Amino acid sequence: MVKSLPPRSQVKLEDTWDLTSLFSSEEEFYQALAQLEDHANAFQQQFSGKMTDPPSIIEALTAYAELYEKLVPLSTYASLVLSTDQTNDAAQMLSSKFGSIAAKISSKLSFLSSELLTLPEETLQQAMQESADFKVYLEKLIRKKQYQLHPEVEKTLAAYSSTFSAPYGLYNTTKMVDMKFDDFEVGGKSYPLSYVSFEGDWEAEPDAELRRTAFAAFSNKLKDYQHTTAKTYDMQLQAEKTTSDLRGYETIFDYLLFNQEVDRSLYNRQIDLIMKELAPHMRKYAKLLQEAHGLGKMTFADLKISLDPSYEPEITVEESKKYIDDALEIMGPDYLEMVDRSYKERWIDFAQNTGKSTGAFCSSPYGDHPYILISWTGRMNEVFVLAHELGHAGHFYNANREQNVFNARPSLYFIEAPSTMNEMLVANHLLKSSEDPKFKRWVISSIVARTYYHNFVTHLLEAAYQRKVYERIDSGQSVNAGILNGLKRGVLEEFWGDAVEITPGAELTWMRQPHYYMGLYPYTYSAGLTISTQVSKRILNEGQPAVDDWIEVLKAGGTKTPVELAQMAGVDITTEQPLRDTIAYIGELVDELVKLTEEIKVK
């Protein structure tokens, strides 16, 4: 049964992450922040106006890399401390202090790219030849040249960077600090409700009355904050549109996709094909859930339930490690050592407490080990969630060791491939471990309901909705709660058709996702899973050679484009074939669930 969440001060130490490898105390953090500001001043004095030839360019970039490496742990610490308890005043102040100092530093350092781009391109090309370390950095800089503004404008925009990121902070404050949920009542009994408990427990609650009442109570509270949240989101959108116009991008989509290094056709293809061709398979899955649970009607509040709740194993944190070790063993001893360290050295924050960020994420600071946030409820499907985040960890564990600080991070388009890859490896391992129809059905339903539903449905429907929002913004319009609700409802109705009733409250789902403050991020989940589905099939069929290729992809970090990284792994994303194959594979999984359900009934 769901319990009320404790304050952060009452959770067990072993369930929390250990941030001391970043900073041993807040005092040490503040000292390092002051030193970084001094370092930035010295850097500006030493190199502003002095970069004239390849040797001086290389000297400046070497010093800049050193400075940037000192910024990373500060940024990470400020973010992670706040993410575990957004009600903590000290964490709020620390995060704000970092934001304001980081904006000052960013403004001071803006001269670097401005001055480099005033140099002849041949000079920059020569610097690349003399130092391969900075080739990728300079190539990306040259690519941006046509969108670069006057140095004084760049300096001013950089000074406002913390203001431009304010909508995201305001969204989180509204969601995690101000929004308080009352208990809800079913059959004369009272039940606690919170963001974490709804998304971690109530959404998947087998009892229909409890689940639907929790959904209604949760939605009613969201509704109280819809206008503030919509205004916050519109601030974000208008800032992005203004930046896009100032820099001279043709559309806001071109601006937001620029750093992803993919053509807009890849973005549109991902949304259009899935909306059209995956929908029939997922409607069949919804009907299967409805029949399995004997529901008179299938509503939006019922979509996250397990196909067989009686067969939902519970699992402890300690037990999860065995499953993950066995599933990821194929990745080799170095990868497994990282997994082992993540448990032993407390890289993972498992605790459930008030004020903690919802969902799960992995932060992988350069020069340190990764950190994973998850709120562990004991459901077996969280093995998939943890494997997903360890996929991010494994990616940057490899990339950060192989590449310099400028070259480690790949395009956002590719970022979810290594994470979803691990989910596929867990699924493939579990499928091989038993022939019992009930167990097989549980595993396949976990793949459909967790891996594919989450990444190919939840996030993709966000992307389809987000595209409609940006189309409005790009045409010079704004949004409010009513408009956002209408757009979200329209996308849900288009995808689910008459298979699912889009009940009141479903349209407010746009309020639950922080991804909208991160550019065109939601569609990249399905893009990454398209790549990892194909690579996981290669691993099943070819074994070690496919694994070796994948490890090389992880090590490559950001030195190649998403198309090139996928090619290294044997997948051609310039065509729609990998996506069509993945959609067909999901259809096969749903058909297998229908077949296994019939078999189990007969027995």
Side-chain angles (χ1 to χ4, degrees), residues 51-84:
M51 295 177 293
T52 55
D53 55 12
S56 57
I57 291 170
I58 292 164
E59 186 188 359
L61 288 175
T62 303
Y64 181 56
E66 185 188 325
L67 194 155
Y68 197 75
E69 284 181 32
K70 290 180 177 175
L71 174 68
V72 170
L74 287 158
S75 169
T76 306
Y77 187 81
S79 166
L80 297 187
V81 165
L82 187 61
S83 69
T84 53

Side-chain angles (χ1 to χ4, degrees), residues 190-207:
S190 190
Y191 298 90
L193 183 64
S194 67
Y195 236 111
V196 171
S197 69
F198 177 75
E199 293 189 342
D201 289 293
W202 293 122
E203 217 172 11
E205 167 60 44
D207 184 294

Side-chain angles (χ1 to χ4, degrees), residues 345-409:
E345 298 173 18
R346 287 174 47 216
W347 299 1
I348 309 168
D349 200 273
F350 292 100
Q352 286 195 65
N353 59 264
T354 55
K356 185 173 178 178
S357 292
T358 58
F361 67 72
C362 176
S363 178
S364 302
Y366 192 86
D368 203 327
H369 60 70
Y371 295 86
I372 291 170
L373 179 140
I374 183 172
S375 293
W376 192 263
T377 63
R379 292 179 188 272
M380 179 69 174
N381 71 350
E382 281 178 348
V383 172
F384 286 90
V385 181
L386 188 52
H388 177 106
E389 301 308 334
L390 283 165
H392 287 304
H395 187 185
F396 289 105
Y397 187 74
N398 279 281
N400 288 350
R401 287 186 302 178
E402 296 290 325
Q403 306 298 338
N404 68 34
V405 71
F406 299 134
N407 294 357
R409 184 162 287 270

